[in-house]
Protein backbone atom coordinates (compact mmCIF):
# COMPACT_ATOMS: atom_id res chain seq x y z
CA UNK A 1 0.00 0.00 0.00
CA UNK A 2 2.85 2.34 0.69
CA UNK A 3 4.07 1.72 -2.85
CA UNK A 4 0.66 2.67 -4.29
CA UNK A 5 0.72 5.90 -2.35
CA UNK A 6 4.19 6.83 -3.54
CA UNK A 7 5.59 6.88 -0.01
CA UNK A 8 9.29 6.02 0.02
CA UNK A 9 10.15 7.05 3.57
CA UNK A 10 11.18 10.14 5.48
CA UNK A 11 14.77 9.87 4.33
CA UNK A 12 18.05 11.75 4.63
CA UNK A 13 16.77 14.81 2.75
CA UNK A 14 13.90 15.17 5.22
CA UNK A 15 16.22 14.92 8.21
CA UNK A 16 18.67 17.37 6.64
CA UNK A 17 15.92 19.93 6.05
CA UNK A 18 14.71 19.67 9.65
CA UNK A 19 18.28 20.10 10.91
CA UNK A 20 18.82 23.13 8.70
CA UNK A 21 15.52 24.64 9.81
CA UNK A 22 16.57 24.27 13.43
CA UNK A 23 19.70 26.30 12.63
CA UNK A 24 17.91 28.87 10.43
CA UNK A 25 14.46 29.35 11.91
CA UNK A 26 13.60 32.62 10.19
CA UNK A 27 11.31 33.70 7.37
CA UNK A 28 14.00 34.74 4.92
CA UNK A 29 15.74 31.35 5.05
CA UNK A 30 12.46 29.45 4.85
CA UNK A 31 11.32 31.37 1.77
CA UNK A 32 14.63 30.67 0.06
CA UNK A 33 14.31 26.98 0.92
CA UNK A 34 10.58 26.52 0.54
CA UNK A 35 11.14 24.25 -2.45
CA UNK A 36 13.03 21.93 -0.10
CA UNK A 37 10.15 21.97 2.38
CA UNK A 38 7.79 21.03 -0.44
CA UNK A 39 9.96 18.17 -1.75
CA UNK A 40 11.51 16.89 1.48
CA UNK A 41 8.70 17.34 4.02
CA UNK A 42 5.37 18.08 2.37
CA UNK A 43 5.49 15.47 -0.38
CA UNK A 44 6.57 12.49 1.76
CA UNK A 45 4.17 13.54 4.53
CA UNK A 46 1.19 13.60 2.19
CA UNK A 47 2.26 10.29 0.67
CA UNK A 48 2.55 8.81 4.16
CA UNK A 49 -0.94 10.02 5.08
CA UNK A 50 -2.29 8.53 1.86
CA UNK A 51 -0.68 5.20 2.69
CA UNK A 52 -2.11 5.29 6.21
CA UNK A 53 -5.74 5.60 5.05
CA UNK A 54 -6.48 1.92 4.31
CA UNK A 55 -4.11 0.74 7.04
CA UNK A 56 -5.80 2.87 9.69
CA UNK A 57 -9.19 1.57 8.57
CA UNK A 58 -8.07 -1.89 9.67
CA UNK A 59 -7.56 -0.53 13.18
CA UNK A 60 -10.81 1.44 13.20
CA UNK A 61 -12.95 2.96 10.46
CA UNK A 62 -13.71 5.96 12.68
CA UNK A 63 -10.45 7.85 12.11
CA UNK A 64 -9.53 9.98 9.15
CA UNK A 65 -6.33 10.18 7.09
CA UNK A 66 -6.63 13.28 4.89
CA UNK A 67 -3.64 13.96 2.59
CA UNK A 68 -4.19 17.68 2.05
CA UNK A 69 -1.66 20.49 2.20
CA UNK A 70 -3.99 22.50 4.46
CA UNK A 71 -6.95 21.41 6.53
CA UNK A 72 -6.02 17.73 6.52
CA UNK A 73 -3.99 15.41 8.72
CA UNK A 74 -0.70 17.28 8.29
CA UNK A 75 -0.26 19.94 10.94
CA UNK A 76 0.88 23.42 9.95
CA UNK A 77 4.58 24.23 9.89
CA UNK A 78 3.83 27.76 11.10
CA UNK A 79 3.96 28.31 14.86
CA UNK A 80 1.39 30.40 16.72
CA UNK A 81 3.68 32.90 18.41
CA UNK A 82 1.00 35.27 19.73
CA UNK A 83 1.17 34.07 23.32
CA UNK A 84 4.67 32.58 23.36
CA UNK A 85 7.98 34.03 24.38
CA UNK A 86 9.56 31.91 21.67
CA UNK A 87 9.00 33.94 18.51
CA UNK A 88 10.66 31.55 16.06
CA UNK A 89 8.15 31.27 13.22
CA UNK A 90 8.38 27.60 12.24
CA UNK A 91 7.94 24.21 13.86
CA UNK A 92 11.05 22.07 13.50
CA UNK A 93 9.09 18.82 13.52
CA UNK A 94 6.63 16.99 11.32
CA UNK A 95 3.30 16.58 13.10
CA UNK A 96 0.56 14.37 11.66
CA UNK A 97 -2.77 13.78 13.39
CA UNK A 98 -5.41 11.20 12.55
CA UNK A 99 -8.57 12.60 14.05
CA UNK A 100 -11.82 10.87 14.90
CA UNK A 101 -14.46 11.43 12.24
CA UNK A 102 -16.56 13.25 14.88
CA UNK A 103 -13.57 15.28 16.03
CA UNK A 104 -14.98 18.52 14.64
CA UNK A 105 -18.12 18.15 16.74
CA UNK A 106 -16.80 16.64 19.98
CA UNK A 107 -13.46 16.33 21.71
CA UNK A 108 -12.55 12.77 20.76
CA UNK A 109 -9.47 10.53 20.97
CA UNK A 110 -6.99 10.49 18.11
CA UNK A 111 -3.65 9.21 16.86
CA UNK A 112 -0.54 11.32 16.36
CA UNK A 113 2.88 11.02 14.69
CA UNK A 114 5.79 13.28 15.67
CA UNK A 115 9.09 13.33 13.77
CA UNK A 116 11.91 15.58 15.01
CA UNK A 117 15.68 15.27 15.03
CA UNK A 118 15.64 15.43 18.84
CA UNK A 119 13.05 12.67 19.25
CA UNK A 120 10.24 10.82 17.48
CA UNK A 121 7.11 9.27 18.94
CA UNK A 122 3.60 8.04 18.30
CA UNK A 123 0.69 9.12 20.46
CA UNK A 124 -2.75 7.62 21.02
CA UNK A 125 -5.48 9.04 23.22
CA UNK A 126 -6.45 12.54 24.34
CA UNK A 127 -4.04 15.37 25.09
CA UNK A 128 -5.52 18.20 27.17
CA UNK A 129 -9.16 17.04 26.81
CA UNK A 130 -11.71 19.76 27.37
CA UNK A 131 -13.42 19.80 30.79
CA UNK A 132 -16.55 17.87 29.76
CA UNK A 133 -14.55 15.10 28.09
CA UNK A 134 -12.07 14.94 30.96
CA UNK A 135 -14.89 14.62 33.48
CA UNK A 136 -16.50 11.85 31.40
CA UNK A 137 -13.25 9.86 31.30
CA UNK A 138 -12.70 10.21 35.03
CA UNK A 139 -16.27 9.16 35.74
CA UNK A 140 -15.96 6.09 33.56
CA UNK A 141 -12.79 5.04 35.38
CA UNK A 142 -14.52 5.54 38.72
CA UNK A 143 -17.69 3.70 37.67
CA UNK A 144 -15.99 0.90 35.71
CA UNK A 145 -12.71 0.20 37.52
CA UNK A 146 -12.51 -3.34 36.14
CA UNK A 147 -12.70 -2.08 32.56
CA UNK A 148 -9.89 0.41 33.25
CA UNK A 149 -7.86 -2.31 34.94
CA UNK A 150 -8.05 -4.34 31.72
CA UNK A 151 -6.52 -1.40 29.84
CA UNK A 152 -3.69 -1.10 32.34
CA UNK A 153 -3.00 -4.84 32.28
CA UNK A 154 -3.31 -5.29 28.53
CA UNK A 155 -0.11 -6.84 27.19
CA UNK A 156 -1.00 -5.42 23.82
CA UNK A 157 -0.98 -1.87 25.19
CA UNK A 158 1.84 -2.21 27.72
CA UNK A 159 4.20 -3.72 25.17
CA UNK A 160 4.19 -0.49 23.19
CA UNK A 161 2.97 2.47 25.22
CA UNK A 162 3.61 4.41 28.39
CA UNK A 163 1.35 7.14 29.72
CA UNK A 164 2.43 10.74 29.35
CA UNK A 165 1.10 14.11 30.46
CA UNK A 166 0.27 15.99 33.63
CA UNK A 167 -1.75 15.11 36.72
CA UNK A 168 -3.45 16.88 39.59
CA UNK A 169 -1.79 16.75 42.98
CA UNK A 170 -5.13 16.13 44.68
CA UNK A 171 -8.28 14.23 43.66
CA UNK A 172 -10.53 16.25 41.34
CA UNK A 173 -13.62 17.76 42.89
CA UNK A 174 -16.40 15.22 43.29
CA UNK A 175 -14.14 12.16 43.38
CA UNK A 176 -13.55 10.36 46.67
CA UNK A 177 -9.93 9.94 47.76
CA UNK A 178 -10.35 6.18 48.28
CA UNK A 179 -11.46 5.32 44.74
CA UNK A 180 -9.62 2.58 42.83
CA UNK A 181 -7.21 3.95 40.21
CA UNK A 182 -7.16 7.35 41.90
CA UNK A 183 -3.79 8.24 40.39
CA UNK A 184 -5.25 7.73 36.93
CA UNK A 185 -8.38 9.69 37.80
CA UNK A 186 -6.06 12.57 38.70
CA UNK A 187 -4.61 12.64 35.19
CA UNK A 188 -5.12 15.75 33.05
CA UNK A 189 -4.04 13.88 29.91
CA UNK A 190 -4.95 10.39 28.78
CA UNK A 191 -2.39 9.61 26.13
CA UNK A 192 -0.09 6.69 25.48
CA UNK A 193 3.29 7.45 23.89
CA UNK A 194 5.55 5.10 21.92
CA UNK A 195 9.04 6.27 20.97
CA UNK A 196 10.89 5.31 17.80
CA UNK A 197 14.15 6.29 16.14
CA UNK A 198 14.14 8.63 13.19
CA UNK A 199 15.86 5.92 11.16
CA UNK A 200 12.70 3.80 11.45
CA UNK A 201 10.81 6.39 9.43
CA UNK A 202 13.18 6.17 6.45
CA UNK A 203 11.75 2.99 4.94
CA UNK A 204 8.83 2.55 2.57
CA UNK A 205 7.28 0.08 5.04
CA UNK A 206 6.99 2.68 7.80
CA UNK A 207 3.19 3.12 7.41
CA UNK A 208 2.64 -0.57 8.13
CA UNK A 209 4.77 -0.32 11.27
CA UNK A 210 2.88 2.75 12.47
CA UNK A 211 -0.49 1.10 11.85
CA UNK A 212 0.61 -1.96 13.85
CA UNK A 213 1.70 0.25 16.73
CA UNK A 214 -1.57 2.17 16.60
CA UNK A 215 -3.45 -1.14 16.76
CA UNK A 216 -1.73 -1.92 20.05
CA UNK A 217 -3.37 1.17 21.55
CA UNK A 218 -6.84 -0.26 20.92
CA UNK A 219 -7.60 -1.06 24.60
CA UNK A 220 -7.03 2.58 25.59
CA UNK A 221 -8.69 4.08 22.52
CA UNK A 222 -11.80 1.92 22.85
CA UNK A 223 -12.14 2.86 26.53
CA UNK A 224 -11.79 6.57 25.82
CA UNK A 225 -14.20 6.51 22.89
CA UNK A 226 -16.83 4.85 25.07
CA UNK A 227 -16.21 7.41 27.80
CA UNK A 228 -16.84 10.42 25.54
CA UNK A 229 -19.70 8.77 23.65
CA UNK A 230 -18.24 8.11 20.20
CA UNK A 231 -17.77 4.90 18.23
CA UNK A 232 -14.48 3.10 17.92
Amino acid sequence: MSGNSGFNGFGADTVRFLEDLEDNNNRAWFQENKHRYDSDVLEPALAFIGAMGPLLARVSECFTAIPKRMGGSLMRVYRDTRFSRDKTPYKTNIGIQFRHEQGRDVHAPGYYLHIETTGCFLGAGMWHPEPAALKAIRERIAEHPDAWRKVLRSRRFKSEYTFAGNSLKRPPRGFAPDLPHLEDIKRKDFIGVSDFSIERAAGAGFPEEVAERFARATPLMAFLCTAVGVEF
Side-chain angles (χ1 to χ4, degrees), residues 105-108 126-137 188 228:
D105 301 318
V106 298
H107 203 74
M126 299 181 73
W127 181 257
H128 298 345
E130 63 182 15
L134 181 57
K135 185 173 184 290
I137 296 167
K188 295 180 180 180
V228 299

Side-chain angles (χ1 to χ4, degrees), residues 54-129:
L55 297 173
L56 193 59
R58 297 180 187 175
V59 181
S60 169
E61 295 183 352
C62 297
F63 295 85
T64 59
I66 305 173
K68 293 172 57 178
R69 185 186 188 105
M70 297 182 64
S73 298
L74 179 63
M75 301 180 75
R76 287 164 48 90
V77 68
Y78 306 101
R79 293 184 62 251
D80 184 352
T81 62
R82 291 174 298 172
F83 308 108
S84 174
R85 292 182 179 179
D86 180 0
K87 297 302 181 182
T88 51
Y90 304 104
K91 299 173 185 174
T92 57
N93 69 278
I94 300 171
I96 297 173
Q97 57 181 349
F98 301 103
R99 302 177 62 180
H100 195 280
E101 60 187 2
Q102 296 184 39
R104 294 187 183 277
D105 301 318
V106 298
H107 203 74
Y111 299 96
Y112 177 67
L113 169 76
H114 184 100
I115 295 178
E116 192 166 9
T117 61
T118 55
C120 303
F121 64 89
L122 303 177
M126 299 181 73
W127 181 257
H128 298 345

